[in-house]
Amino acid sequence: MNFTSKSLLALCALTATIACGSDNSVGPGLGGGGSGPKEAVLTGNIASDRTLSKDTVYTLSGFVKVRTGATLHIPAGTKIVGDSLVNGSSLWILPGGKIDAQGSAASPIVFTSARSAGNRKPGDWGGLIIIGKAVANRGCPNTDNASCVATTLSEGPAGGIQNTAENYAGGTDPNDNSGTLSYVRVEFAGFAVQLDQELNAFSFYAVGRGTKLEYLQALSGLDDSFEWFGGSVDGRYLVSYEAGDDHFDWTEGYNGRNQFMIAFQTYKPTPLAGAGFASSDPRAFEGDGCETTKAGCPDFTTKPYSEPVFANFTLVGPGPGTFTGVSDANATVIRRGSGGTLFNGIIARWQGIGLDVRDAQTNTLRGLDSLIVTNVLLTENAGGNFDPAGTNFGQATNFPGNEDGSISTTGLFVTVPAVGTDPSGTTLDWSLSAGSAARTGGLTTLPATISARVQGFFGGAIAGTAYRGAADPAAAAKWWSGWTSYARN
C-alpha cells in the first residue's frame, strides 16, 4: 500500500467521521471474501457479515467495531496488525455482534504489531475487545444492586463517534453468544488511549457463556493479558507470556470457568514511548468483586459476586528483584469481596507473596465456601507462599490442603529457564519433569461444592486430576505446542 492511501486512512480513523471508513475497507479487490490484495485496511464499522482472507495482511486502523447483527469471519492463518499511525487501533465486537475466528495449531490467527520483529514493543496497538449481553454487577438492570447504573464504560475515551469507549451495562443473558475465538494470538497490544486507560490484549466485558474461548495466547502486552469485567464466559487452554500488568484479571461479578492456563513472567517490559507505563503491581491472578471507586459499586458486597473457577494452572514468575519501583508483585491477589474456586495449580517464583487475600468481605466469602483455594503447589515465592500471620487473610491455616513448598521451580518442568535468563529462542516446555512434585497432589474427586460449579463446561464438566498444573503428564501431545510464540520485541 502506498503512503498516501495509508495516511488518508489514519486521518479518517483519527477524525472518526461516518463518511470516512464506514465501509471498513480500502483498495481494489476487497470484498466479502476470497482472494484479495496482499495488504488491506479495516477501519470504522463492520455492519454486515464480512469474511477475511488468509492471503491478505489486514491493518486495523482506529477502533474497528463489529456492530449488532454482523459477524466477522477470520480464517485460520490470517494475520492482522494494528496501525502504528493511529494510536490504540483495535478490534471491538459490540453487543449483538460476533466474531468467528477459528485458527488451528498449525495455522493460528495472529493479531500483532505492524512493526518488524526486533522493533516491536508492548503498547504498539490496542487489542481485542468483546462486549456481550451477560451480567456485570455495576450495571442496571440488577435487582441485587440498588445502586446500579445505566452506563458502565469500557476502557477508552468517552465521547466521540468511533474511537470511543462503549457501554457494557444492560446485559441480562448469562448464555449470550459473541462468537468463537480458537487458536488466536494477540501480541504487543495494550496502548493507553488515556491516562490509566490501557487496553488489554483480551478484554471481555459482560461476555456470555455461549461464547467459545479456547487456545488463546497473549504475548508482551502493556496492560493485562486477559481481563473479565463481569460475564460468565468459560475458557480453556489460555497462555500469557510477559504481561505489562496482570496475566489473568477478573472483576464485577465474573463467574466463568477456566481450565488449563499458563502465565510466565521473566522481566519488566519496556513499552512503546508514549503508549503508557508498565504496572506498579504486576500479578498472575488479580481478582476483584467490585471497585468502589467506580459508579454502581457501593461496597464490596455488591452482587452478583465474582465467583470464577480456575483449574489446572501454571503460574511462574520472574524471581526476586526483577520488578523495581513496584508497590507489590504478589502472584495471586483476591480482594474487594471476590469469591472464586482455584484448584490443581502451581504458583511459583513470584517476587511477592504467592497467595494474598484482602478485605474482610473477601474473607467472609471464604467462610461461606464461596472462596476456595485447594490442592495448589506454592513454592519459591520470595515474599512467602502465603500471607504472613497478622496481615490480610491468605494464611496457610485459612487455606489448608495446599503445599507450602520450597521446591526448585525449574525442577518441576522439562524446560523452564532459570531466573535472569532470557527465554528468547528457548522452546518452553511446561510438561512436568520425571521427578516433579506436581505429578501428584491433585484433587481427583471434586467435592459437591466444587462439582456443582463446573457442570456444563464445554458440554461436560471440569474433571479432577491427580496432577497439579496445566500439563497432563500422560498426554500424548503438548496442548501449547506449535501455535504459541515467545518474543520480547
Side-chain angles (χ1 to χ4, degrees), residues 405-418:
S406 57
I407 303 162
S408 167
T409 301
T410 53
L412 293 173
F413 308 101
V414 171
T415 308
V416 174

Side-chain angles (χ1 to χ4, degrees), residues 66-155:
V66 179
R67 297 282 175 176
T68 299
T71 299
L72 177 62
H73 300 274
I74 306 176
T78 302
K79 181 179 179 180
I80 301 172
V81 302
D83 192 340
S84 60
L85 298 178
V86 183
N87 294 339
S89 292
S90 46
L91 178 62
W92 299 63
I93 312 302
L94 301 189
K98 289 185 178 181
I99 185 170
D100 177 23
Q102 300 188 52
S104 66
S107 297
I109 295 165
V110 180
F111 291 81
T112 191
S113 169
R115 304 177 198 277
S116 60
N119 296 301
R120 303 171 296 186
K121 288 184 179 294
D124 273 351
W125 64 292
L128 176 56
I129 300 99
I130 300 180
I131 303 176
K133 297 181 179 180
V135 178
N137 63 16
R138 292 197 299 122
C140 295
N142 184 350
T143 57
D144 291 323
N145 179 8
S147 300
C148 69
V149 293
T151 300
T152 56
L153 292 179
S154 67
E155 305 282 14

Side-chain angles (χ1 to χ4, degrees), residues 296-314:
C297 180
D299 55 46
F300 295 159
T301 64
T302 302
K303 296 180 181 179
Y305 297 126
S306 294
E307 294 186 288
V309 175
F310 296 100
N312 295 101
F313 49 86
T314 294

